[in-house]
């Protein structure tokens, strides 16, 4: 039976060979995929669950194959491997694997490989040019070309990268746009990405609990989650987690569910989210033999307290003050609820804290001079007598 995986927007993320042979393509809507393949079995995978599965796969790649793994884009992973390691990886995961002297060439080679097969982009100027000329247009998304541009190129009659290589650099920029065209021109001139950063392990925190007897009561699950959360909070060490995944090993196999997390994280909140995820997995009626909670998408929190954080914290502040000592001022709040502007706040010097009189300084309450006050009093008296009959 043809099978396809859908995202939350109900677009095709991945399709099996049978579905692809029937015309199902990545990015296609569910209705369009069903119209081309009526027997298609499509399942929606929530984004948190997909992220958790991808993070777990990256951990396996790091543990088994290479210490240099880059999987920032879901579905595509770059590794530093030998030819024998690439064949072992393709056989273990039954996935298409590409070998090349750069990440771009390896990606293009992987797109032309079958599941479980290794395709090699051989080094050498002539071999590389021959390989690139035969690259289908549909594979150029690996080089940053959008699908809309590929449709236009297909309408013009181009079928592979060789047709684009016959164009001039100016023609490619004019047709594809400046950004996309320049990126493609740099690639065709020989600009490549040849390095893969080292993978940082520990991107998934895991805590599990095994039971002597299958757990079937909600109260038992709540107690187990309360026992699991403190160790996870300790391992977080102030970091943030994007996803929480619960695995329940039952008599019917492993049932999993994932949820997205929001800051701040504490034991009570994590316990509630884990309980909701476990409820969605519907594992409790089967009896839980082992309960596992995973936290993925770890990151260090960042906070910006202001544009100019402080004199000692930002080197640019010192540079500005050295060249222009009077350039920076700070606001000092006197009374935010005062009616008069000059009583609400004042601009002070950045270094000394003294009030800085400038165009931004609130104008003080204006007090007339004594001569002006005397003239105003005379005018009021005259106006009073002029208003009365003699």
């Amino acid at each position: 039976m043809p099978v396809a995986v859908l995202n939350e927007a109900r677009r095709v993320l991945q399709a099996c060979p049978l579905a692809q042979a029937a015309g199902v393509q990545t990015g296609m809507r569910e209705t369009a995929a069903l119209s081309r393949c009526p027997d298609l079995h499509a399942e929606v995978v929530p984004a948190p669950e997909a992220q958790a599965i991808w993070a777990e796969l990256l951990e396996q790649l790091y543990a088994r194959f290479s210490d240099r793994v880059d999987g920032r884009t879901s579905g595509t992973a770059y590794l530093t491997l030998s030819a024998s390691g690439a064949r072992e990886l393709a056989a273990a995961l039954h996935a298409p694997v590409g070998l090349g002297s750069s990440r771009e060439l390896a990606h293009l080679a992987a797109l032309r490989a079958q599941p479980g097969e290794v395709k090699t982009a051989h080094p050498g100027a002539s071999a590389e040019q021959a390989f690139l000329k035969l690259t289908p247009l549909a594979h150029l998304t690996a080089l940053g070309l959008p699908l809309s541009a590929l449709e236009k190129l297909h309408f013009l009659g181009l079928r592979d990268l060789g047709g684009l290589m016959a164009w001039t650099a100016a023609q490619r920029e004019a047709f594809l746009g400046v950004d996309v065209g320049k990126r493609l021109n740099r690639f065709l001139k020989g600009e490549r990405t040849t390095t893969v950063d080292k993978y940082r392990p520990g991107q998934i925190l895991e805590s599990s609990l095994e039971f002597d007897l299958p757990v079937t009561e909600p109260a038992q699950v709540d107690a187990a989650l309360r026992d699991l959360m403190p160790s996870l909070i300790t391992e977080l060490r102030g970091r943030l987690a994007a996803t929480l995944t619960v695995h329940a090993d039952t008599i019917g196999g492993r049932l999993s569910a994932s949820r997205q997390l929001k800051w701040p994280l504490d034991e009570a909140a994590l316990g509630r989210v884990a309980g909701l995820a476990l409820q969605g997995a519907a594992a409790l009626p089967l009896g839980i033999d082992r309960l596992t909670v995973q936290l993925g998408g770890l990151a260090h929190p960042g906070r910006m307290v202001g544009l100019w954080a402080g004199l000692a914290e930002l080197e640019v502040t010192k540079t500005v003050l050295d060249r222009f000592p009077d350039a920076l001022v700070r606001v000092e709040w006197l009374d935010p609820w005062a009616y008069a502007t000059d009583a609400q706040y004042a601009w002070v010097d950045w270094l000394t804290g003294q009030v800085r009189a400038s165009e931004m300084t609130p104008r003080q309450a204006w007090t007339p001079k004594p001569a002006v006050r005397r003239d105003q009093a005379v005018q009021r008296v005259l106006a009073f007598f002029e208003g009365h009959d003699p």
Side-chain angles (χ1 to χ4, degrees), residues 179-198:
D179 295 336
V180 177
K182 283 186 176 180
R183 190 184 307 119
L184 181 60
N185 289 335
R186 288 195 298 265
F187 171 77
L188 295 177
K189 289 180 179 179
E191 183 176 323
R192 305 284 191 272
T193 305
T194 58
T195 60
V196 179
D197 297 334
K198 285 189 175 181

Side-chain angles (χ1 to χ4, degrees), residues 196-211:
V196 179
D197 297 334
K198 285 189 175 181
Y199 182 75
R200 293 182 299 171
Q203 298 302 299
I204 295 180
L205 301 181
E206 179 177 321
S207 181
S208 59
L209 188 61
E210 191 170 356
F211 308 105

Side-chain angles (χ1 to χ4, degrees), residues 66-145:
S66 176
D67 62 339
R68 293 185 176 271
V69 180
D70 187 354
R72 284 172 287 186
T73 303
S74 298
T76 304
Y78 299 99
L79 294 83
T80 301
L81 280 176
S82 61
S84 59
R87 289 192 294 269
E88 182 182 354
L89 174 62
L93 300 182
H94 191 64
V97 177
L99 274 179
S101 57
S102 66
R103 295 169 59 158
E104 293 83 2
L105 292 176
H107 194 176
L108 293 175
L111 291 175
R112 295 165 67 172
Q114 297 296 325
E117 178 188 3
V118 178
K119 192 76 173 180
T120 304
H122 297 284
S126 59
E128 182 178 312
Q129 290 295 317
F131 176 82
L132 292 177
K133 288 182 179 179
L134 297 177
T135 301
L137 280 183
H139 296 174
L140 297 186
T141 53
L143 302 179
L145 270 70

